[in-house]
Amino acid sequence: MIKLHSPVIVEGKYDKITLENVIDALIIPTNGFGLFKDKEKCRLIKTLGEKFGIIVITDSDYAGNMIRAYIKNIASGCEITNVYIPQIKGKEKRKTKGSKEGFLGLEGMTPEIIEDALKKSGIIGKKIPEKGKKITKTDLFLRGLSGKEESRQKRQELLEILELPQNLTPNAMLDILNTVMTYKEFCEVTDRWLKNPTKN
C-alpha cells in the first residue's frame, strides 16, 4: 500500500473502492457533478486543502476535467496535486455501456497503472508526518458520539463546531477526524465541548 499524507479527491464510490486497494489515505468521492451543489463537501475539501493540500484523480474525459477545474476553483490558494490516468479505450466490467468518449475511468485502471500515475505526479516518496495515537470508535463511544440514541445529534453539534459536514456517519467522521487533528487535539476539543456543549 502506498501511504499518502494528503486527502485524495475522486469522482465516485467505485473509484474510491479501486484506490483503497492501492493507497492508504483519506479518499473523498465527489459523487460526480453532485459536488457542484454540495456546499458542505466543498467546504470540507477547502478545509483539508488548506491544512494538508489535496490530490485530485479524476477520469481522463470531459466530465473529469470539468470536476478537476471546479475543485481547483473551490480550493483556490491550496496546494493541489493533479494525478492524471492514461486514456485507455475500454469499458468497466460492471457497466453495460462504456463512457461517452469510450475511455476507461479510474475504477477500470490496474494497480500498476495507478501507481505509475502517482509516480509521475511526484507525490510518492514525500515524507509523511508522524500522527501518533489514532482516534478510535471507542473514543467516539465514550464521548457519546456513537452507540446511543442522542449520538447523531451530538455528532452534528461537534461537526458544526469543527466546521465539517454534519451528515457524516461515525466511520466517515472517524476518517476525517484522524486527518484533520491529533488524538490530543480531539480530546481537548471534545472535553471543552462536553463541559459546555452550547458554546464553541
Side-chain angles (χ1 to χ4, degrees):
M1 295 284 279
I2 299 165
K3 211 170 176 60
L4 300 176
H5 172 54
S6 300
V8 181
I9 316 300
V10 298
E11 289 183 56
K13 66 177 183 179
Y14 292 103
D15 297 325
K16 182 177 187 288
I17 291 167
T18 297
L19 267 190
E20 284 172 339
N21 293 314
V22 182
I23 67 170
D24 177 8
L26 176 65
I27 304 170
I28 301 172
T30 67
N31 299 320
F33 293 142
L35 179 67
F36 296 2
K37 294 182 180 178
D38 192 337
K39 290 181 181 178
E40 283 197 340
K41 189 164 281 187
C42 288
R43 279 199 299 271
L44 173 62
I45 290 171
K46 173 75 171 173
T47 300
L48 292 171
E50 288 172 343
K51 192 162 186 179
F52 307 102
I54 53 173
I55 298 164
V56 181
I57 313 178
T58 61
D59 294 350
S60 295
D61 57 12
Y62 179 74
N65 289 333
M66 277 187 70
I67 292 167
R68 198 184 286 274
Y70 189 76
I71 292 169
K72 181 181 179 182
N73 183 51
I74 62 174
S76 175
C78 303
E79 182 184 351
I80 300 173
T81 302
N82 285 296
V83 176
Y84 296 93
I85 59 171
Q87 287 188 327
I88 300 172
K89 289 284 186 182
K91 176 183 75 67
E92 287 81 8
K93 289 179 183 177
R94 71 175 180 88
K95 295 180 179 176
T96 53
K97 206 165 90 174
S99 69
K100 190 176 179 182
E101 294 168 50
F103 298 121
L104 285 171
L106 174 58
E107 67 168 286
M109 297 291 128
T110 64
E112 292 76 20
I113 290 173
I114 293 170
E115 186 173 345
D116 186 56
L118 291 168
K119 282 178 181 173
K120 286 176 180 174
S121 73
I123 57 176
I124 291 181
K126 278 191 177 180
K127 190 175 178 182
I128 298 170
E130 184 55 53
K131 278 275 189 179
K133 182 175 173 158
K134 282 196 165 191
I135 306 158
T136 65
K137 287 183 179 179
T138 303
D139 295 315
L140 296 187
F141 178 77
L142 292 174
R143 286 162 175 77
L145 293 163
S146 69
K148 296 176 184 176
E149 281 185 21
E150 68 278 10
S151 292
R152 183 173 180 175
Q153 184 183 337
K154 283 192 170 186
R155 286 198 303 275
Q156 288 175 336
E157 288 174 8
L158 181 61
L159 288 165
E160 184 179 6
I161 289 167
L162 296 172
E163 297 182 338
L164 294 170
Q166 293 164 47
N167 58 351
L168 297 174
T169 63
N171 284 340
M173 179 178 180
L174 204 55
D175 284 343
I176 291 173
L177 290 178
N178 274 309
T179 300
V180 302
M181 61 175 52
T182 63
Y183 176 79
K184 183 181 177 185
E185 289 168 338
F186 170 77
C187 292
E188 289 171 352
V189 168
T190 52
D191 286 348
R192 280 199 308 270
W193 168 65
L194 288 169
K195 283 177 187 173
N196 194 351
T198 59
K199 290 186 180 178
N200 294 4

